[in-house]
Amino acid sequence: AQSVTQPDIHITVSEGASLELRCNYSYGATPYLFWYVQSPGQGLQLLLKYFSGDTLVQGIKGFEAEFKRSQSSFNLRKPSVHWSDAAEYFCAVGDDRGSTLGRLYFGRGTQLTVWP
Amino acid sequence: DVKVTQSSRYLVKRTGEKVFLECVQDMDHENMFWYRQDPGLGLRLIYFSYDVKMKEKGDIPEGYSVSREKKERFSLILESASTNQTSMYLCASTYSGTSGRLGYEQYFGPGTRLTVT
């Protein structure tokens, strides 16, 4: 069965520092991978997605993620974090099979705190 | 821009009440989803629908039902609300591959924070 693991429940970084949020997935076929961000009290906003092609994908707000098939990973990175990046981040893998087409499986999320 | 709206941002109900949460999307998406979000548990899928009048159980359907009479609207129903259904409820929608418009990325509404007392 498909699953997503985000090993870090909570990460704290200083403003201006680099950031890497980890995501590992379990999926039998070529995965469709996503990162979403959720600000307090809000819905989820898509940061970036990977379907195929270049394994390094660029997203909004200066984020990027790298798909590594050999490690079943899709880690999110940002070279310099801003205070406004404080939020919860969710990794997800998409299902493209049969009656569950379009379903996403989410990790439990990583809460990011940014120190000024 | 895709817009997914939910009928209420905050809702307070009493135990045993019947509760309706409404979700409307304006992008002609075939698939719609209801999740609940609890701290430390991430998003858990309650029900989803890939067409009008169609529904599929997700991972935690117990205590919930859904209705999809029109393509743009997907309702979540708590037949008899209980305190353990206090949570944030998120609705999402996406294109289906059957329409030829393969999207997969889900678009989310702002959420409804439901408190059952």
Side-chain angles (χ1 to χ4, degrees):
Chain A
Q2 298 86 338
S3 66
V4 174
T5 301
Q6 293 180 245
D8 304 305
I9 297 172
H10 195 176
I11 284 183
T12 300
V13 298
S14 298
E15 191 170 19
S18 63
L19 172 70
E20 183 169 29
L21 302 183
R22 296 182 292 164
C23 172
N24 292 97
Y25 67 89
S26 172
Y27 188 68
T30 300
Y32 299 89
L33 295 161
F34 307 86
W35 275 99
Y36 284 86
V37 61
Q38 184 181 34
S39 298
Q42 303 297 315
L44 274 67
Q45 181 184 19
L46 181 69
L47 278 177
L48 48 78
K49 61 188 179 185
Y50 171 79
F51 284 179
S52 64
D54 194 344
T55 56
L56 185 64
V57 293
Q58 303 296 321
I60 61 171
K61 304 185 181 190
F63 285 91
E64 67 178 25
E66 186 171 13
F67 169 59
K68 293 186 177 180
R69 185 187 297 276
S70 61
Q71 299 177 19
S72 297
S73 69
F74 188 56
N75 294 348
L76 182 71
R77 300 194 293 248
K78 188 170 184 178
S80 178
V81 170
H82 188 262
W83 64 266
S84 60
D85 294 325
E88 190 157 23
Y89 292 79
F90 292 93
C91 181
V93 63
D95 195 333
D96 67 346
R97 300 175 296 185
S99 63
T100 51
L101 184 70
R103 175 176 174 170
L104 295 184
Y105 296 86
F106 286 87
R108 295 193 173 192
T110 297
Q111 183 68 47
L112 175 66
T113 298
V114 180
W115 287 101
Chain B
D1 269 359
V2 175
K3 183 165 269 189
V4 180
T5 57
Q6 296 184 229
S7 50
S8 305
R9 292 299 304 272
Y10 300 93
L11 209 53
V12 180
K13 295 292 181 180
R14 294 193 180 275
T15 300
E17 279 192 83
K18 190 168 186 175
V19 181
F20 292 87
L21 303 183
E22 303 285 337
C23 175
V24 177
Q25 50 91 7
D26 66 356
M27 277 301 291
D28 201 34
H29 285 166
E30 291 82 16
N31 289 356
M32 296 188 74
F33 305 82
W34 275 107
Y35 298 89
R36 67 175 281 175
Q37 182 181 16
D38 301 287
L41 297 180
L43 277 73
R44 294 181 291 167
L45 183 64
I46 305 171
Y47 269 97
F48 63 104
S49 168
Y50 49 86
D51 203 350
V52 175
K53 297 191 186 297
M54 306 299 284
K55 61 183 179 184
E56 292 283 339
K57 292 181 180 179
D59 298 323
I60 52 164
E62 297 78 17
Y64 303 94
S65 62
V66 290
S67 172
R68 188 146 180 224
E69 297 296 319
K70 293 185 177 182
K71 190 175 185 179
E72 68 271 17
R73 188 180 297 270
F74 191 34
S75 302
L76 180 69
I77 303 156
L78 288 66
E79 295 288 343
S80 178
S82 64
T83 55
N84 63 12
Q85 292 178 309
T86 291
S87 186
M88 169 74 97
Y89 290 87
L90 292 166
C91 175
S93 70
T94 189
Y95 289 121
S96 163
T98 57
S99 71
R101 297 173 294 183
L102 205 58
Y104 291 122
E105 62 263 42
Q106 292 184 10
Y107 297 87
F108 283 82
T112 296
R113 185 164 294 283
L114 173 67
T115 301
V116 182
T117 61

